[in-house]
Amino acid sequence: MFTDMEADLKLKDVSVLCVEDESFTLEFLTQMLGPRVKEVHQARDGQEGLYAFSRFNPDIVITDIEMPRMDGLEMAEAIREQDPEAVVILSTSFDNIDNLKKAIALRLDEFVSKPVAPAELLEVLQRCLRVISRKKAKDRQRRTMEVMLGGMPFPVMLLDTENHRVEIANPEAGRAGYRQGAALEGRFFPPEVRQVIKSKGNAGDLIEAREQSRLEISSGDKNWEIYLKPVASGWMVAAVVDVTWRWHLDQLREDVERITRHDMKTPLNGIIAIPDLLLESDALDDESRELVQYIKESGHTLLNMINLSLDLYKMEQGTYQLDPGKVDLTRVLRQVLRQLEPLSRGKNIQVRLLHQDMDVPDDFSFMVCGEEMLCYSMFSNLIKNALEASPHGKEVSIKMWYQAGESLITIHNHGEVPREIREVFFDKLSTHGKKSGTGLGTYSAALIARTQNGNIDMQTSVESGTTLTVRLPLCQ
């Protein structure tokens, strides 16, 4: 997950602290590194070095061993107590076995021989960039997590699965007795929860390990649901929900969705208005005008989908009031395909729109009974999933026909649904192997189909690929 950052980090981006009691060597290091790194700090013994580390927080520490007041190994040990991931390079003549044993016990990052050769030191510094990249990314992710978790109304923790301790705990988790450094034990971490944490934390395939787990736990007269979600190598988020407060959380979710829709619609209205102004200009060529029109249509679609979000919640609760009418599904499908064109083009996939087994002509209409926006959202999710699951360069087909008083629409791709989720394909939060998958696409599609008095089923195999069949009623 750190690949991009590792590629971009250069020596010019890092700061270095040089700790050396020999004035000549200290000046030599400063003069050599000055033009090559972001900044260089100096210290003449271990005590000065420890103070300078606390003050400047350098990315790399280069230290001699034998120095007055506090030697380099004592300083390195004190630095590691402040920051266990501090990058320390030991400058040594390799003539003292005891010193080397101590350095190895401290798990220092690198060694460079004395007298220091510029080429060797620069090579060592380059090797340290990967460690620094990971540290910076982890620090940034930690700060983001602290902000995200702080406002949650229930206990949420960031877990260090390598050291089996709590890395970050929000105030609610603190009130439950879990703070930074706490062991993964107690009422929220019984054996069955620790086993899931261990298995996911040690998983070789991080993408598969990132699937969310939900467990029900009990302690005394309380019952909780605990959600475990790996977010990076060695890191996992645990959210603990008191199920007796489920009604309050449902109310909170509805309020958040309503606020989110309001906050999103304000800037989106501006985005939608701009294309109208641009389209009035005579300076646009045909290609630019087509792109601006595409932006306008996308904005309107997104606005409609924001308005749909609360409707999905009502469908879950069984309170949605359907207002069915005649919907030209061909027009809806063409609009969906225009929106998904970057995805299909990027994978070199041809999408065929068929009536029975014939390509659909431009003026063809296929009428179903439902609501247009619901149909758009449902087929947008299903076709997007088909394109993502399809092998590169393979055709995806969408076929429509009428049968026994209902309309049938099949979406076929040559990919296979993983065995792990075939039985729960349409269940909420059911996903497998997708970096950004939430498991809500197929769930919401099935929910919309049922709301419109229809249904969806799925058949999949290695030989034939995957076919989704959507059944919708006809308008009388």
Side-chain angles (χ1 to χ4, degrees), residues 16-23 25-27 29-30 33 40-53 58 60-76 79 88-92 114 116:
V16 179
L17 169 62
C18 298
V19 188
E20 173 64 61
D21 64 329
E22 294 180 2
S23 298
T25 304
L26 185 59
E27 289 303 319
L29 290 172
T30 302
L33 294 174
V40 181
H41 305 287
Q42 294 183 340
R44 299 183 182 277
D45 59 46
Q47 282 192 2
E48 281 191 23
L50 187 57
Y51 171 75
F53 180 83
I60 300 174
V61 178
I62 304 172
T63 181
D64 188 17
I65 295 181
E66 297 179 358
M67 295 181 293
R69 297 201 293 176
M70 177 186 285
D71 67 31
L73 291 175
E74 292 173 325
M75 181 197 69
I79 286 174
V88 181
I89 300 172
L90 194 65
S91 174
T92 177
K114 294 187 72 173
V116 177

Side-chain angles (χ1 to χ4, degrees), residues 292-309:
V292 172
Q293 184 65 36
Y294 179 81
I295 294 172
K296 177 181 176 181
E297 292 177 1
S298 299
H300 281 289
T301 299
L302 180 56
L303 184 60
N304 289 331
M305 294 183 74
I306 291 172
N307 292 330
L308 178 65
S309 61

Side-chain angles (χ1 to χ4, degrees), residues 13 70 74 96 112-113 134 168 172 185 199 218 240 255 292 317 360 416 419 434 469:
D13 300 322
M70 177 186 285
E74 292 173 325
N96 188 318
V112 63
S113 58
R134 291 184 178 275
I168 301 172
E172 291 296 324
E185 55 188 28
S199 63
S218 300
V240 184
D255 291 342
V292 172
Q317 303 303 309
V360 169
E416 175 195 9
R419 294 184 181 276
K434 292 172 65 175
T469 302

Side-chain angles (χ1 to χ4, degrees), residues 253-423:
R253 180 175 66 173
E254 185 176 350
D255 291 342
V256 169
E257 288 181 349
R258 185 174 61 253
I259 293 170
T260 300
R261 287 199 315 278
H262 178 270
D263 290 348
M264 290 179 65
K265 286 166 70 172
T266 300
L268 187 57
N269 285 329
I271 295 173
I272 293 173
I274 291 173
D276 286 329
L277 296 175
L278 293 175
L279 289 171
E280 293 178 1
S281 171
D282 296 331
L284 296 179
D285 57 28
D286 291 342
E287 183 177 358
S288 299
R289 189 172 295 277
E290 183 178 349
L291 290 173
V292 172
Q293 184 65 36
Y294 179 81
I295 294 172
K296 177 181 176 181
E297 292 177 1
S298 299
H300 281 289
T301 299
L302 180 56
L303 184 60
N304 289 331
M305 294 183 74
I306 291 172
N307 292 330
L308 178 65
S309 61
L310 183 57
D311 293 337
L312 290 174
Y313 176 72
K314 291 179 180 178
M315 292 178 200
E316 287 184 312
Q317 303 303 309
T319 60
Y320 183 81
Q321 297 295 317
L322 183 69
D323 183 21
K326 291 185 178 180
V327 177
D328 184 353
L329 195 58
T330 308
R331 187 172 66 84
V332 171
L333 291 174
R334 291 191 192 280
Q335 185 180 0
V336 169
L337 294 177
R338 281 198 302 272
Q339 296 290 329
L340 295 176
E341 185 179 357
L343 177 58
S344 59
R345 186 170 60 246
K347 296 188 68 174
N348 193 29
I349 294 174
Q350 180 187 3
V351 181
R352 293 189 66 191
L353 197 57
L354 305 169
H355 176 229
Q356 296 180 345
D357 293 318
M358 303 293 291
D359 288 320
V360 169
D362 293 339
D363 58 352
F364 179 78
S365 294
F366 186 84
M367 308 305 294
V368 300
C369 188
E371 292 185 20
E372 183 168 321
M373 195 58 221
L374 294 186
C375 290
Y376 178 90
S377 178
M378 176 175 62
F379 283 102
S380 179
N381 281 317
L382 296 178
I383 296 172
K384 180 175 181 289
N385 280 350
L387 292 172
E388 290 175 340
S390 173
H392 189 91
K394 291 291 187 177
E395 180 181 274
V396 170
S397 62
I398 304 169
K399 184 163 66 173
M400 304 171 285
W401 72 99
Y402 298 116
Q403 178 178 296
E406 63 180 357
S407 57
L408 278 75
I409 305 95
T410 60
I411 302 169
H412 175 264
N413 76 84
H414 291 272
E416 175 195 9
V417 174
R419 294 184 181 276
E420 293 84 350
I421 63 168
R422 289 182 183 179
E423 297 299 320

Side-chain angles (χ1 to χ4, degrees), residues 100-163:
L100 287 178
K101 288 181 179 178
K102 291 178 183 178
I104 293 171
L106 286 172
R107 299 177 68 180
L108 300 186
D109 297 275
E110 292 282 355
F111 297 86
V112 63
S113 58
K114 294 187 72 173
V116 177
E120 181 187 2
L121 178 58
L122 291 174
E123 184 178 345
V124 167
L125 291 173
Q126 287 289 344
R127 288 201 297 269
C128 289
L129 291 182
R130 180 181 180 88
V131 178
I132 297 168
S133 296
R134 291 184 178 275
K135 184 174 183 294
K136 286 181 179 291
K138 196 170 183 178
D139 287 344
R140 186 173 63 251
Q141 195 173 37
R142 189 183 191 282
R143 291 193 297 271
T144 301
M145 281 290 180
E146 287 177 339
V147 174
M148 291 174 59
L149 304 187
M152 295 291 183
F154 43 80
V156 187
M157 292 161 276
L158 181 65
L159 310 181
D160 180 343
T161 59
E162 295 178 354
N163 298 304

